[in-house]
Amino acid sequence: MGQDYYSILGIIRNAKDADIKKAYRRLALKYHPDRSTDPCADEKFLQIAEAYDILSDLRKKATYDKFGEEGLKGGIPPEFGDTGAWTTGYTFHGNANKIFRDFFGGDNPFADFFDTKGEINLGFGGLRGCGVKKQDPPIERELHLSLEDLYHGCLKKIKITRRVMNEDGHTSSIKDKILTIQVKPGWLSGTKITFPNEGDQGPNNIPSDIIFIVKEKPHPWFCRDKNDLIFSASIPLAKALTGYTVEIETLDDRFLSIPINDIVHPKYTKVVAGEGMPLSKDPVQKGNLVIQFDIRFPDKLTPAKKKLINQALNG
């Protein structure tokens, strides 16, 4: 009659993986030789480690459940093996401290778990210290969007490749995942979109958050200043003095004809209210369209033209 590893951990035979881990955590902390006053702590700590090593591994657990300790350690006979050959038996390596370190993480799991007085630290959510998984730093990626995307809003699907843990809780594999971002009208460059815990998974870590940061692509004729759109119109000097109509194609495919009846000087701007970018908090509201002017001066003037300009301006 072999050992009953379920009884060693104090769990039932159909216990789930989470129950196995919970039982090991409780008993390993209770009987750790560095902390326990039980005279049999060394022996119990070793038994607990071996029981966990077997029951936390799906293949070992399945063999143990079917053939018991004798079959697990002696090997499976040919008539039961998948290949028809006698499989090699399991041998516990005997290093209970390694099992403990691998489970809790770190070379000295008690360094943070116990305070300077040797008392267990308790915090909100239960035990804290090395027994609590730490989250990896966030992963930041740029999300390049056109001005049209930020004006109308859009749906972006981004494929990421990450490491995920398999069902056995010990091995991992590489898998793709599609993340969906609903771009809202009016988002500013620098807006952050966070996908919690979508980074690589591991047995002793909390996956990192993935953060996408909006980066605005250059536009052929608009520049953006927060919620305002800046348009630069190139006009000849004569039109700057006598009047001009600016034609602008908007981001929603309309054409604006904006008459300029003022004299356009180098610092002059024309503001068209409500023709800028949508406000992210209220997309119905919009910023302004600000028209700046690049006045084209003639390269040279004939004496006759200079005389006419002189007369016109001084008349």
Side-chain angles (χ1 to χ4, degrees):
M1 187 72 179
Q3 294 190 79
D4 186 344
Y5 293 115
Y6 290 98
S7 294
I8 291 174
L9 292 184
I11 54 179
I12 58 177
R13 291 190 69 84
N14 61 348
K16 296 180 179 180
D17 184 64
D19 297 323
I20 296 170
K21 287 183 169 64
K22 183 178 180 180
Y24 173 75
R25 176 192 296 273
R26 178 177 58 82
L27 294 173
L29 293 172
K30 179 179 180 181
Y31 291 108
H32 194 285
D34 290 346
R35 294 291 169 178
S36 177
T37 57
D38 191 309
C40 300
D42 287 325
E43 181 182 352
K44 290 181 180 178
F45 188 64
L46 187 64
Q47 287 179 332
I48 293 163
E50 182 177 354
Y52 177 74
D53 188 51
I54 293 167
L55 298 182
S56 63
D57 184 289
L58 290 181
R59 186 182 295 272
K60 295 173 190 173
K61 182 177 180 294
T63 303
Y64 171 72
D65 287 344
K66 189 170 185 178
F67 301 102
E69 184 187 11
E70 292 83 359
L72 176 68
K73 295 184 176 180
I76 303 173
E79 59 267 26
F80 296 106
D82 294 335
T83 61
W86 190 287
T87 61
T88 57
Y90 160 81
T91 302
F92 180 52
H93 53 66
N95 190 342
N97 285 322
K98 181 181 185 304
I99 300 289
F100 188 87
R101 285 196 302 270
D102 290 345
F103 184 88
F104 287 97
D107 292 330
N108 183 6
F110 282 106
D112 294 329
F113 192 82
F114 289 92
D115 62 20
T116 54
K117 297 180 180 179
E119 298 176 349
I120 297 179
N121 286 318
L122 293 175
F124 294 107
L127 298 174
R128 70 185 182 187
C130 289
V132 177
K133 295 181 179 180
K134 295 182 179 179
Q135 186 174 29
D136 293 337
I139 300 170
E140 294 187 349
R141 295 287 184 268
E142 292 184 351
L143 177 63
H144 294 272
L145 298 172
S146 68
L147 206 52
E148 286 83 358
D149 290 336
L150 295 168
Y151 183 89
H152 297 285
C154 63
L155 194 69
K156 292 291 183 180
K157 293 182 180 294
I158 302 172
K159 183 173 77 172
I160 63 169
T161 301
R162 60 176 189 157
R163 184 175 297 280
V164 298
M165 295 301 297
N166 297 325
E167 291 183 359
D168 60 14
H170 298 282
T171 60
S172 61
S173 46
I174 302 296
K175 292 186 178 180
D176 293 335
K177 183 172 183 178
I178 302 296
L179 301 179
T180 302
I181 298 176
Q182 181 65 58
V183 177
K184 301 293 181 65
W187 272 2
L188 294 166
S189 187
T191 298
K192 295 183 177 182
I193 308 98
T194 301
F195 290 87
N197 303 338
E198 289 291 356
D200 289 339
Q201 297 177 358
N204 297 312
N205 75 307
I206 299 173
S208 59
D209 295 341
I210 296 181
I211 301 174
F212 291 94
I213 303 174
V214 171
K215 295 294 181 182
E216 189 179 290
K217 295 179 182 178
H219 193 271
W221 57 85
F222 286 122
C223 291
R224 184 179 182 182
D225 180 14
K226 297 180 181 178
N227 296 317
D228 293 340
L229 289 175
I230 313 298
F231 180 84
S232 181
S234 177
I235 64 172
L237 176 61
K239 297 293 184 181
L241 297 174
T242 60
Y244 186 72
T245 297
V246 180
E247 303 285 344
I248 301 176
E249 181 181 359
T250 65
L251 293 173
D252 54 357
D253 300 323
R254 292 178 294 117
F255 285 90
L256 300 178
S257 295
I258 302 167
I260 307 297
N261 299 317
D262 300 323
I263 292 177
V264 177
H265 54 79
K267 294 183 179 180
Y268 176 85
T269 58
K270 177 72 173 180
V271 177
V272 183
E275 289 291 350
M277 293 293 291
L279 277 61
S280 59
K281 293 183 178 179
D282 184 8
V284 176
Q285 304 295 322
K286 294 181 181 179
N288 298 325
L289 171 63
V290 180
I291 305 173
Q292 300 175 343
F293 294 90
D294 177 21
I295 304 172
R296 300 195 307 271
F297 285 78
D299 294 329
K300 58 183 178 180
L301 293 172
T302 64
K305 288 182 178 180
K306 289 181 180 179
K307 185 176 180 180
L308 288 172
I309 292 173
N310 236 332
Q311 291 175 346
L313 295 179
N314 293 324

